[in-house]
Amino acid sequence: MSWRREEQVRAQCYPASKSIALRIAGGVLIAGGIVLILLCVPTWAWLAIVGAALILLGLFLIRK
């Protein structure tokens, strides 16, 4: 049985800002958020994330 789509597939893209000032402000806000996360999350939480990533990587390698 063949399946065909009757209507066209529509795709939407996020509109890019034309203002360079807004793009710079957005980049500064993103960078500020990353710095806040890096400074406020305790070391043990980062170590737990790294440990979980190593476990998942090990499982992935064993299954492959």
Side-chain angles (χ1 to χ4, degrees), residues 50-64:
V50 169
L54 290 174
I55 290 171
L56 291 174
L57 181 61
L59 289 172
F60 175 74
L61 290 174
I62 287 174
R63 287 188 168 191
K64 191 165 186 181

Side-chain angles (χ1 to χ4, degrees), residues 3 5 7 12 22 27-28 32 36 38 50-51 59 63-64:
W3 183 83
R5 182 177 292 271
E7 67 255 1
Q12 291 181 330
L22 287 177
V28 168
L36 279 176
L38 289 174
V50 169
L59 289 172
R63 287 188 168 191
K64 191 165 186 181

Side-chain angles (χ1 to χ4, degrees), residues 12-58:
Q12 291 181 330
C13 299
Y14 291 105
S17 174
K18 304 259 190 269
S19 170
I20 191 73
L22 287 177
R23 295 180 76 185
I24 291 172
V28 168
L29 289 174
I30 290 170
I34 290 171
V35 168
L36 279 176
I37 288 173
L38 289 174
L39 293 177
C40 293
V41 174
T43 305
W44 61 265
W46 289 116
L47 292 175
I49 292 170
V50 169
L54 290 174
I55 290 171
L56 291 174
L57 181 61

